[in-house]
Amino acid sequence: MTKLVFIRHGQSEWNLKNLFTGWVDVDLSEKGVEEAKEAGRKIKEAGLEFDQAYTSVLTRAIKTLHYALEESDQLWVPEVKTWRLNERHYGALQAKNKAKAAEKYGDEQVHIWRRSYDVLPPLLSADDEGSAAKDRRYADLDPRAIPGGENLKVTLERVIPFWEDQIAPKLLDGKNVIIAAHGNSLRALTKYIEGISDEDIMGVEMATGQPVVYDLDDKLQVIKKEKL
């Protein structure tokens, strides 16, 4: 039976500071490192073995993958990094304190920006100092592909082509896959795989550093889901 494992990266330095992070590249906190290592130990205890790994181009996800694979004695597993698995882009909210944003815009509005399926946050212009358009890791992308802000719907739209082109073929070939990514890119994949409605996905949370294991059939339908 084919296995697919999701891990949301461990706590980041900006998670700890309660800041909107999005595409800003920040490191894991000390707790985040331990969460990633613990994920690897759980994977080893469960006897999970992988043929292919995927992650984003952001440090916190990459390191989470590496710690998890190292702790499970699988650091050799081939990996692919892609911007399509990046966290949702939080637009002009990035680097802002979540509590202060709630004071400025109201709790309800910030909750809508954070959790809704199709409401965009305030957008970041391409010439803003914090724009990803200035980041070398995205130099090969069409500038029109670099977002100024995303909701979960837009995040899903950028994740699914990679799923269909790269990940699904591996799974259909019977390969076991691990994906270390972010709360919203994994929520998008969860919505797609499990067929969750636009309304119900608002209540889905991804815990940091906790492996989620799917057993899939030969049509990539979910047979079983468990959290380690």
Side-chain angles (χ1 to χ4, degrees):
M1 191 175 298
T2 304
K3 303 282 189 181
L4 170 65
V5 174
F6 289 165
I7 305 177
R8 180 187 175 189
H9 64 78
Q11 182 192 67
S12 74
E13 292 173 344
W14 278 20
N15 290 147
L16 182 61
K17 294 178 180 178
N18 200 32
L19 303 178
F20 286 101
T21 310
W23 281 33
V24 180
D25 195 25
V26 301
D27 209 342
L28 294 172
S29 67
E30 290 184 9
K31 178 182 177 181
V33 171
E34 183 53 39
E35 286 177 331
K37 290 181 177 180
E38 178 61 19
R41 291 190 282 268
K42 289 178 178 178
I43 286 168
K44 184 175 182 178
E45 290 171 5
L48 292 168
E49 296 183 339
F50 304 111
D51 303 293
Q52 181 68 53
Y54 297 95
T55 188
S56 73
V57 296
L58 298 171
T59 298
R60 58 196 187 273
I62 296 167
K63 285 191 173 182
T64 294
L65 175 65
H66 291 175
Y67 282 125
L69 290 178
E70 184 173 17
E71 290 293 322
S72 61
D73 300 324
Q74 298 183 80
L75 197 53
W76 59 270
V77 169
E79 69 180 73
V80 174
K81 302 181 184 76
T82 173
W83 69 278
R84 289 190 177 274
L85 290 174
N86 276 12
E87 175 59 297
R88 166 193 169 186
H89 194 300
Y90 274 102
L93 296 175
Q94 292 189 163
K96 289 183 169 51
N97 182 277
K98 295 174 184 177
K100 290 183 179 179
E103 290 176 7
K104 181 176 180 179
Y105 301 106
D107 289 334
E108 184 177 354
Q109 181 61 68
V110 171
H111 179 74
I112 290 170
W113 282 332
R114 292 184 65 187
R115 306 303 301 172
S116 71
Y117 180 60
D118 57 4
V119 177
L120 287 169
L123 300 182
L124 195 67
S125 65
D127 59 359
D128 189 282
E129 183 179 346
S131 172
K134 297 178 171 60
D135 193 320
R136 189 167 68 90
R137 78 194 77 194
Y138 308 113
D140 292 337
L141 293 184
D142 183 331
R144 293 170 295 183
I146 298 175
E150 297 176 308
N151 50 41
L152 188 61
K153 180 176 184 292
V154 175
T155 304
L156 177 65
E157 289 169 353
R158 73 159 152 85
V159 169
I160 293 309
F162 187 79
W163 166 269
E164 292 175 339
D165 293 343
Q166 300 288 328
I167 302 173
K170 289 288 186 184
L171 295 167
L172 288 168
D173 196 33
K175 306 298 185 184
N176 291 339
V177 168
I178 180 171
I179 303 174
H182 307 265
N184 284 293
S185 53
L186 291 178
R187 283 177 70 226
L189 283 173
T190 298
K191 183 183 191 305
Y192 184 77
I193 293 168
E194 297 185 34
I196 299 172
S197 70
D198 297 354
E199 294 74 24
D200 289 345
I201 194 62
M202 293 177 65
V204 174
E205 296 281 355
M206 304 294 296
T208 55
Q210 181 173 326
V212 177
V213 184
Y214 290 97
D215 289 340
L216 305 175
D217 65 15
D218 57 5
K219 294 182 180 178
L220 303 189
Q221 300 296 308
V222 178
I223 298 173
K224 185 176 73 170
K225 173 186 178 182
E226 65 177 326
K227 296 179 181 179
L228 297 184

